[in-house]
Amino acid sequence: MKKFLNTAESFLSDSLAGFAAAHPDLVVDADNRVVTRARGAVPKKVGLVSGGGSGHEPLHSGFVGAGMLDAACPGEVFTSPVPDQVLAAVRAVDGGAGTVLVVKNYTGDVMNFQLAAELADDDGLRVETVLVDDDVAVQDSTFTAGRRGTGATLLVEKITGAAAARGDGLGAVADLGRRVNAASRSFAVALTSCTTPGSGRPGFDLPDDEIEVGVGIHGEPGRRREKLRPAREIAADMVRAVLEDRPLSSGEEAIVIVNGLGATPLSELYLVFGEVSSLLAERGIRIARNLVGNYVTSLDMAGCSVTVCAADQEFLDLWDAPVNTPALRWGC
Amino acid sequence: MKKFLNTAESFLSDSLAGFAAAHPDLVVDADNRVVTRARGAVPKKVGLVSGGGSGHEPLHSGFVGAGMLDAACPGEVFTSPVPDQVLAAVRAVDGGAGTVLVVKNYTGDVMNFQLAAELADDDGLRVETVLVDDDVAVQDSTFTAGRRGTGATLLVEKITGAAAARGDGLGAVADLGRRVNAASRSFAVALTSCTTPGSGRPGFDLPDDEIEVGVGIHGEPGRRREKLRPAREIAADMVRAVLEDRPLSSGEEAIVIVNGLGATPLSELYLVFGEVSSLLAERGIRIARNLVGNYVTSLDMAGCSVTVCAADQEFLDLWDAPVNTPALRWGC
């Protein structure tokens, strides 16, 4: 294992210390492992909290800020945050209008956020949960009953964050988040495995000429192994998988994310985006907005995911709304 | 070699096609390989052009936009752009106030930008050149007489871009760029080599437990090979190398960039930034502004660089000025 770290045990706390030093406009509660905006709860605004195992940076801490999350709860690498951690986040951001929890569909996350929601309820705090399960690769997987939550998490967090910022109520923000998830599908391909600081070795073996098609963001198995092929063909498979599951008609608009899994250069991600763009154009689907870069990663895995969200005008308006976070910033 | 590509020959043009599709607010002249802002030359504004071999994305194309570059000229991977390409860029952005060329100090780049400057002069266009040579690792290197230009390029492009936007004249913008370069030092460490699409194999061999200390952004040799050590010690070596060359006194302010070389996860970059931050704090040096992420990369190399710029108030004000490019965006 070759990584910049001091000890495997201190990896998360050392990384969070650096995050705190880099972003003095955010507050890192090192004891509770909660990242919040500096000004704390916004009165009468619906709070927005997410979290999950670390190793997917910038998700989620990099999306804390005006127009997006109020708080993130980073668990240990590839490990759910604990209920008390999530509860501390809810308490920190509750401004009296309730809090929406954005939860990726992994068994541990679902359980711990559910427990946190019950504890918050005991405190008299209103909480709604939005479950993200956009990955069409497999129905059930390691760590997951049902579909995995991946790239659409970013869409849900951005769009509900904008809705909360404009003053939408608890039920409306949660319903919107569910609509964004329902309109979004993702599919990922890995060129390499990834290595957690704790294990020190790759999570799976992949021969030098093979790729894992339909991989999960923790290296969970996909649909199949196959020989490396031209990017055009790989992109076609990803687009086909996504659109078979949630067809878009000619003339429809989409938000498209080509997301790097951590170790893939931007030049390759742009190349894949070009192929995806051509493929969607052939079907008459218009890419109204896009992102190309590393947003929902899997440590040092080489690979990428494609997320397509069928976007109505409300989604686009909320996508365009100002956002000011470490990893996404515009209009501010 | 495992990369998302169609053929090695079409890598750059395919990647640029994707870049063009992702950024409809920019213009990609595929024939001349010049990326410019959509609105073309801004009358009376000093133009700002940079370029160099591809493989360092988002540098330079990702820095084209309001408040930064007017044009970028991407050469083939790790290969200088040709003089005609640079000349086409100068012609495209000249608004009558002259053009500043930002050139990283590599022999091929220096020669081709110099030829382009002479051709521009023949056209009656005024051109000034700012040479970036911030890498303190070695005095001469593969591809370079004198120091290599690396992370400070981003600082020069951002700060001179802001100066050009506020209406500074040709000489003033060029002098400012030289001052930024003179105030900046960088040092990089590689955990792995990188692989160009053309060669298909790593540029150098690095044993599983060793790192290359003082590496260049094309994988040029550094000062030494050594065993992997804790990040804290590596960061201390990088900070020491930078500050020995350009000391900062207690109380001075700096802009600090911890830059990923392409395949290193953000969590590790933040961890390194945390160590750098502590080391500078011990010396009484205040990090006034920072960036942590992949900005000046070396394809799929794992590693990072540290850049420290001794910043006066003018640098900070220009750093804070609005910028709207694919890779850097704030205040817009």
Side-chain angles (χ1 to χ4, degrees):
Chain A
M1 172 175 61
K2 275 207 256 188
K3 289 182 187 294
F4 292 111
L5 52 73
N6 295 309
T7 65
E9 294 68 33
S10 68
F11 181 76
L12 178 58
S13 55
D14 289 350
S15 182
L16 276 176
F19 182 87
H23 303 294
D25 53 329
L26 300 177
V27 174
V28 176
D29 174 347
D31 293 332
N32 285 309
R33 290 206 170 142
V34 174
V35 177
T36 54
R37 305 186 197 179
R39 292 182 189 173
V42 182
K44 299 186 183 169
K45 190 186 87 69
V46 169
L48 195 61
V49 170
S50 192
S54 292
H56 308 299
E57 291 72 22
L59 184 84
H60 298 270
S61 301
F63 299 141
V64 175
M68 213 161 165
L69 296 179
D70 292 280
C73 312
E76 290 291 332
V77 172
F78 292 174
T79 304
S80 300
V82 296
D84 282 350
Q85 191 179 354
V86 179
L87 180 64
V90 172
R91 284 178 175 154
V93 309
D94 184 270
T99 299
V100 170
L101 305 178
V102 178
V103 183
K104 300 195 297 302
N105 190 36
Y106 299 97
T107 306
D109 286 347
V110 170
M111 187 174 67
N112 287 355
F113 276 86
Q114 173 62 28
L115 284 169
E118 289 167 12
L119 293 169
D121 187 63
D122 293 345
D123 275 7
L125 300 170
R126 289 184 301 149
V127 169
E128 288 269 354
T129 297
V130 174
L131 200 65
V132 182
D133 62 348
D134 54 312
D135 183 350
V136 304
V138 291
Q139 182 52 38
D140 298 302
S141 178
T142 329
F143 318 128
T144 328
R147 288 178 164 183
R148 302 175 296 219
T150 60
T153 315
L154 160 60
L155 289 158
V156 171
E157 294 179 0
K158 172 65 184 81
I159 291 173
T160 58
R166 75 176 174 188
D168 285 12
L170 181 62
V173 173
D175 285 345
L176 176 69
R178 291 173 194 128
R179 281 206 293 129
V180 173
N181 179 60
S184 303
R185 297 292 188 280
S186 297
F187 194 91
V189 167
L191 304 191
T192 71
S193 181
C194 62
T195 300
T196 63
S199 76
R201 61 180 62 88
F204 57 94
D205 291 317
L206 198 54
D208 273 351
D209 60 345
E210 291 189 11
I211 62 177
E212 178 79 36
V213 178
V215 73
I217 56 172
H218 312 89
E220 308 96 307
R223 291 185 175 179
R224 61 183 181 275
R225 294 278 173 91
E226 60 180 37
K227 298 289 180 194
L228 180 64
R229 291 179 296 144
R232 190 164 295 148
E233 296 177 20
I234 298 172
D237 279 358
M238 293 202 278
V239 166
R240 193 178 306 115
V242 161
L243 293 182
E244 274 177 0
D245 202 86
R246 201 301 186 186
L248 273 84
S249 308
S250 178
E252 278 198 273
E253 293 196 311
I255 305 173
V256 173
I257 303 173
V258 169
N259 169 65
L261 295 179
T264 287
L266 194 53
S267 49
E268 294 180 45
L269 299 178
Y270 275 123
L271 191 148
V272 171
F273 181 78
E275 301 301 340
V276 170
S277 175
S278 299
L279 290 157
L280 294 181
E282 285 169 14
R283 294 167 184 251
I285 300 163
R286 184 172 162 259
I287 301 180
R289 304 290 185 276
N290 73 80
L291 274 183
V292 180
N294 292 296
Y295 295 101
V296 181
T297 63
S298 183
L299 293 168
D300 56 350
M301 182 181 286
C304 75
S305 63
V306 172
T307 298
V308 176
C309 172
D312 60 22
Q313 193 56 48
E314 184 180 23
F315 288 7
L316 296 179
D317 290 343
L318 291 167
W319 180 259
D320 291 342
V323 61
N324 190 4
T325 72
L328 275 196
R329 182 154 46 180
W330 56 71
C332 287
Chain B
M1 172 175 62
K2 275 206 255 187
K3 289 183 186 295
F4 291 110
L5 53 72
N6 294 309
T7 66
E9 294 67 33
S10 68
F11 181 77
L12 178 58
S13 56
D14 289 350
S15 182
L16 276 176
F19 182 86
H23 303 294
D25 52 329
L26 300 176
V27 174
V28 177
D29 174 346
D31 294 332
N32 286 308
R33 289 205 171 144
V34 174
V35 177
T36 54
R37 306 185 196 179
R39 291 183 191 172
V42 182
K44 299 184 183 170
K45 191 187 84 70
V46 169
L48 195 61
V49 170
S50 192
S54 292
H56 308 301
E57 292 71 21
L59 185 84
H60 297 272
S61 301
F63 299 142
V64 175
M68 214 159 164
L69 296 179
D70 292 279
C73 313
E76 290 291 332
V77 172
F78 292 176
T79 303
S80 300
V82 296
D84 281 351
Q85 189 178 355
V86 178
L87 179 64
V90 172
R91 284 178 174 156
V93 309
D94 184 87
T99 299
V100 170
L101 306 178
V102 179
V103 183
K104 301 194 299 302
N105 189 36
Y106 298 97
T107 305
D109 286 347
V110 170
M111 187 175 68
N112 287 356
F113 277 86
Q114 173 62 29
L115 285 168
E118 289 167 12
L119 293 169
D121 188 63
D122 293 344
D123 275 7
L125 300 170
R126 289 184 300 149
V127 168
E128 288 269 354
T129 297
V130 174
L131 200 65
V132 182
D133 61 349
D134 55 311
D135 184 350
V136 303
V138 291
Q139 182 52 35
D140 298 302
S141 179
T142 331
F143 318 127
T144 327
R147 288 178 167 183
R148 305 176 294 220
T150 59
T153 315
L154 161 61
L155 288 158
V156 171
E157 294 178 0
K158 171 67 185 80
I159 291 172
T160 58
R166 74 177 175 189
D168 286 12
L170 181 63
V173 172
D175 285 345
L176 177 69
R178 291 172 194 129
R179 281 207 292 130
V180 173
N181 179 60
S184 303
R185 299 291 188 280
S186 297
F187 194 90
V189 168
L191 304 192
T192 71
S193 182
C194 62
T195 300
T196 63
S199 76
R201 60 180 62 88
F204 58 93
D205 290 317
L206 198 53
D208 274 349
D209 60 345
E210 290 189 11
I211 62 178
E212 178 78 37
V213 178
V215 74
I217 55 172
H218 312 90
E220 306 96 308
R223 291 185 175 180
R224 62 183 180 275
R225 294 278 173 93
E226 60 180 38
K227 298 289 180 193
L228 180 65
R229 292 179 296 143
R232 189 165 295 149
E233 296 177 21
I234 298 172
D237 280 358
M238 292 202 279
V239 167
R240 192 179 306 116
V242 161
L243 293 183
E244 274 177 1
D245 201 86
R246 201 302 187 183
L248 274 84
S249 309
S250 178
E252 277 197 275
E253 292 196 311
I255 304 174
V256 173
I257 303 174
V258 170
N259 169 64
L261 295 179
T264 287
L266 194 53
S267 49
E268 294 180 45
L269 299 178
Y270 274 123
L271 192 149
V272 172
F273 181 79
E275 301 301 340
V276 170
S277 175
S278 298
L279 291 157
L280 293 180
E282 284 169 14
R283 294 168 184 250
I285 300 163
R286 183 172 162 260
I287 301 180
R289 304 290 184 275
N290 74 79
L291 274 183
V292 180
N294 293 296
Y295 295 101
V296 181
T297 63
S298 183
L299 293 169
D300 55 350
M301 183 181 286
C304 75
S305 62
V306 172
T307 299
V308 177
C309 171
D312 61 22
Q313 192 57 47
E314 184 180 25
F315 288 7
L316 296 179
D317 290 344
L318 292 166
W319 180 259
D320 291 342
V323 61
N324 190 4
T325 71
L328 275 195
R329 181 153 49 180
W330 57 70
C332 288

